Amino acid sequence: MKTIAVYPGTFDPITLGHVDIVSRASPLFDTVILAVAASTSKNTVFSIDERVELSREVLKHISNVEVQKFGGLMVDFAREKKASVVLRGLRAVSDFEYEFQLAGMNKKLNSKIETIFLMSDVENQIISSKFVKEIAHLGGNIDRFVTKYTAKMLKEKQ
């Protein structure tokens, strides 16, 4: 039986931290689905289709990774894709409380889903999409936080 993991998020934009989590997770599962959320609560810079395209371009070198968009509950998307694992990245202890609650709620919604946490590499612990967008908006250099392609696309949006 194939083991499918879903890595959900808004990925606005996808950062080197996200790429690191996907790269490290890909050998652990048959398929990793980067699930780009059609967020209703966040003001995104990129549209859902742009975030999907950007993520596909950035992750095209990893053969067992798919990028798909979803709306609604992530657990319903995971069930539809026959995923048994939800993958989440942790940057710092402050992330854990929220992620712990989210994992518990997801388990209540779908008892067949297991959440697996991967710690961010030390190099990537400070990176967040929010900070990357703010730095780019203020004209700062984001090259250490995102791929060249992502930086180019973000600069075009500013």
Side-chain angles (χ1 to χ4, degrees):
M1 186 168 143
K2 283 179 61 170
T3 305
I4 300 170
V6 171
Y7 180 28
T10 51
F11 305 104
D12 184 49
I14 188 167
T15 68
L16 293 178
H18 298 129
V19 174
D20 175 59
I21 294 292
V22 172
S23 297
R24 291 176 28 232
S26 67
L28 304 175
F29 305 101
D30 295 305
T31 303
V32 175
I33 301 172
L34 185 97
V36 181
S39 178
T40 56
S41 63
K42 292 184 179 179
N43 248 350
T44 58
V45 171
F46 294 100
S47 72
I48 181 80
D49 291 330
E50 289 170 327
R51 288 181 279 137
V52 167
E53 169 57 32
L54 189 55
S55 297
R56 283 183 179 149
E57 179 63 28
V58 167
L59 298 171
K60 68 183 179 185
H61 66 284
I62 308 173
S63 63
N64 67 329
V65 172
E66 299 174 12
V67 178
Q68 299 180 22
K69 62 183 170 182
F70 79 99
L73 290 173
M74 185 279 307
V75 291
D76 292 340
F77 176 80
R79 184 181 299 115
E80 176 188 314
K81 299 300 176 184
K82 297 182 177 28
S84 57
V85 172
V86 174
L87 179 63
R88 300 297 291 171
L90 295 174
R91 291 174 299 195
V93 174
S94 58
D95 287 346
F96 182 75
E97 185 175 354
Y98 171 77
E99 294 294 346
F100 179 78
Q101 291 174 346
L102 186 60
M105 189 57 70
N106 286 337
K107 189 73 168 174
K108 289 285 187 192
L109 292 170
N110 182 348
S111 63
K112 295 178 181 172
I113 291 285
E114 290 295 337
T115 300
I116 294 180
F117 299 105
L118 286 181
M119 295 299 300
S120 292
D121 184 89
V122 174
E123 294 286 319
N124 298 314
Q125 287 178 350
I126 61 163
I127 302 173
S128 77
S129 294
K130 177 182 173 184
F131 289 150
V132 168
K133 289 185 287 193
E134 189 170 340
I135 292 166
H137 179 72
L138 296 172
N141 185 341
I142 58 172
D143 293 346
R144 296 184 320 187
F145 311 123
V146 296
T147 65
K148 288 180 186 196
Y149 182 73
T150 302
K152 176 182 173 277
M153 298 305 288
L154 193 53
K155 286 175 186 167
E156 287 177 8
K157 282 284 187 178
Q158 299 302 321

